[in-house]
Structure formats: structure tokens, C-alpha cells
Amino acid sequence: MVVSQDSIFSTSDAGSTWNNYPTPKGMEFSYSFYSKTLWFAAGTNKINNNNSCILYKSTNGGISWAKLLDTIISTPNGLADGFSAIDFYDENNGIIGVKRDVIIRTTDGGMNWQEEVMPNETFLEIISIIKFFGKEKVIAST
């Protein structure tokens, strides 16, 4: 997979040919490609300078995207200005880094999310990487 601002490129023949799939427009995204067909895009809604946290899901390998979430999230340090990192352990269990000191977790494929506040002043910068290491253990980095 190669991701640009407007497209996702994938190959199944070691790069001899590439398929081009559009990304959701007007956003800055982090992606999680759980399988060949199940993809998630989490980011910041830049349309109308909204800066809300937005999440899309594709169940057909990027051909179409369904919006799962578009919301403003309050953190202990003020309003979050978007999602910054995403990972899925399996098709149901996912985690998203919210721009500062909050992560949100799903156990039902992204339909519902629970907020988890990180310990005080754990991250003073934006969470840029978040990864599952087993179903319960998560590592996040700035």
C-alpha cells in the first residue's frame, strides 16, 4: 500500500500493476488496513475549518467509504482537533489516538467507542503512532 493525500495505491503482483482508490476528501488521515477489504481512515475534518474528529470505514477495499464518526471530542487539555493515529487488532477491536492525551477504543468494529484518558501529562505532543501488541496491550508514541 502507498497512501497519498488523494489516493491509496495497492498492488497484488509485487508492483507490476497498481490499483488506485480514492480517499475521503477534505481530511488529513491515518489509515489502518486490517485486511484486503476492511480499511479504516481516521483523521481531522478540515472542511469548513471544523477540525472535528472523523472516522471512515471501507468494507470493499477502498472502493467506497462509510462515515462512522464525525464529532468534537473534549480532552482534559481542551478540545481535540482530530484523530492522529489508528490501529485495529482484528475486525472488531480498534484504537485511535486523539490529538493529545486521549485514546478511544472500539470492540464492535467502530460502531461504538469508549474514551480512555492517558495518565497525566503522558503525551505533551500529538500521538503519531499507536499499535496493538496482542488484544489488550497497546503502544503509543509521539
Side-chain angles (χ1 to χ4, degrees), residues 22-40:
T23 61
K25 300 294 181 210
M27 323 303 171
E28 295 174 356
F29 282 111
S30 176
Y31 293 90
S32 178
F33 303 102
Y34 173 70
S35 70
K36 204 171 173 182
T37 56
L38 183 57
W39 300 357
F40 293 89

Side-chain angles (χ1 to χ4, degrees), residues 2-41:
V2 176
V3 179
S4 72
Q5 185 173 358
D6 298 322
S7 297
I8 298 171
F9 300 93
S10 70
T11 182
S12 58
D13 57 10
S16 294
T17 60
W18 289 87
N19 297 310
N20 180 355
Y21 302 97
T23 61
K25 300 294 181 210
M27 323 303 171
E28 295 174 356
F29 282 111
S30 176
Y31 293 90
S32 178
F33 303 102
Y34 173 70
S35 70
K36 204 171 173 182
T37 56
L38 183 57
W39 300 357
F40 293 89

Side-chain angles (χ1 to χ4, degrees), residues 109-120:
M111 299 309 296
N112 295 289
W113 294 85
Q114 298 80 39
E115 185 176 305
E116 299 177 13
V117 177
M118 303 295 287
N120 289 344

